[in-house]
Amino acid sequence: KVALPIHIFGFIHDFSFAGDYLVYWIHPLGIKNPIPFLMGKSTFNDCVRYQPRWGMQAIIVRADTLAEVKRVKLDPCIIVHTANAWQEGDQLILDVIRYEHFKVNDWLSNVLSDHIDFDDDVLSGGQLYRYRLGLTSNLYSAEKIKNTLAAEFPQWDLRFSGQKNRYSYHVSTQDRKYGGSVYFNSFQKIDHQDRKVTTKTLPEGEFLSEVIF
């Protein structure tokens, strides 16, 4: 067993598999006071808070031994689901779904509602980002993948897990000027080589959950 101490009582949902390495995203999303939840007086959902002032870091460990390699300080955001990741030379390339706020918690509680405002926060939602983290250098960058819709539940050909992959797939959010629920009402295929995005929007009243490759 290996212990990786973290600085907060965090809600850590996913991690990235990059071949010889694993990356744990310790975002500032967690519970400041767990007592109401542990006593059954509040739901877990009610106790979770996003606090950017807590700071954020990525912990890189060896996949075979879980030995810690390094910790990288990151700009605060929320990363719940990760896409594929791989190693190129001295750096790790990691695709993730990134949120700048925690309003997604309210959206998911009202996913079938016809009364969600079509504001920028809803339609910007989770965005696909590509991170680059140096293994021995101080390299750190985060770039939004261009021309993509707000997305969730990333998927790819799992035969390429831990290796560079050309295509990824996501459920997404497409604006509807005529109303109706917008959350997860479309899906997109991203060609990372040709930088092409193909989108399919579902008829009104239909929506998607996690995709399976």
Side-chain angles (χ1 to χ4, degrees), residues 24-57:
Y24 294 90
W25 306 90
I26 314 302
H27 53 198
L29 182 69
I31 299 177
K32 184 177 181 179
N33 179 11
I35 294 177
F37 169 67
L38 296 175
M39 294 182 64
K41 296 185 177 298
S42 297
T43 66
F44 179 81
N45 191 58
D46 290 336
C47 293
V48 173
R49 296 289 183 270
Y50 176 50
Q51 300 285 355
R53 59 184 174 81
W54 290 348
M56 180 170 176
Q57 60 182 213

Side-chain angles (χ1 to χ4, degrees), residues 3-16:
L4 296 172
I6 60 177
H7 63 294
I8 60 172
F9 185 17
F11 173 51
I12 312 303
H13 181 73
D14 205 352
F15 64 90
S16 296

Side-chain angles (χ1 to χ4, degrees), residues 57-89:
Q57 60 182 213
I59 304 178
I60 304 174
V61 304
R62 292 283 311 181
D64 52 354
T65 64
L66 297 186
E68 185 173 322
V69 175
K70 67 184 298 187
R71 298 188 180 213
V72 182
K73 185 177 180 180
L74 306 175
D75 295 330
C77 66
I78 298 173
I79 297 175
V80 177
H81 292 124
T82 64
N84 199 16
W86 62 92
Q87 181 180 356
E88 289 185 1

Side-chain angles (χ1 to χ4, degrees), residues 63-183:
D64 52 354
T65 64
L66 297 186
E68 185 173 322
V69 175
K70 67 184 298 187
R71 298 188 180 213
V72 182
K73 185 177 180 180
L74 306 175
D75 295 330
C77 66
I78 298 173
I79 297 175
V80 177
H81 292 124
T82 64
N84 199 16
W86 62 92
Q87 181 180 356
E88 289 185 1
D90 186 52
Q91 61 182 278
L92 300 181
I93 314 298
L94 311 110
D95 290 344
V96 302
I97 302 295
R98 166 174 162 166
Y99 290 88
E100 306 299 335
H101 49 70
F102 196 42
K103 291 185 179 181
V104 64
N105 196 41
D106 296 329
W107 307 337
L108 290 175
S109 298
N110 298 280
V111 69
L112 299 180
S113 173
D114 290 341
H115 304 292
I116 299 177
D117 293 334
F118 303 135
D119 58 21
D120 290 340
D121 283 337
V122 171
L123 296 174
S124 63
Q127 300 292 329
L128 179 61
Y129 270 74
R130 174 160 292 180
Y131 278 73
R132 296 177 183 270
L133 303 179
L135 289 169
T136 59
S137 71
N138 293 323
L139 174 68
Y140 156 47
S141 68
E143 179 183 8
K144 181 182 179 300
I145 304 298
K146 296 180 179 179
N147 302 319
T148 56
L149 299 171
E152 252 300 352
F153 304 130
Q155 189 58 272
W156 64 96
D157 185 338
L158 297 180
R159 293 172 295 182
F160 289 93
S161 293
Q163 308 173 56
K164 186 175 182 178
N165 62 301
R166 178 172 179 176
Y167 302 105
S168 60
Y169 309 83
H170 313 77
V171 298
S172 52
T173 300
Q174 182 76 281
D175 192 3
R176 275 210 177 99
K177 295 180 180 178
Y178 53 78
S181 177
V182 300
Y183 211 66

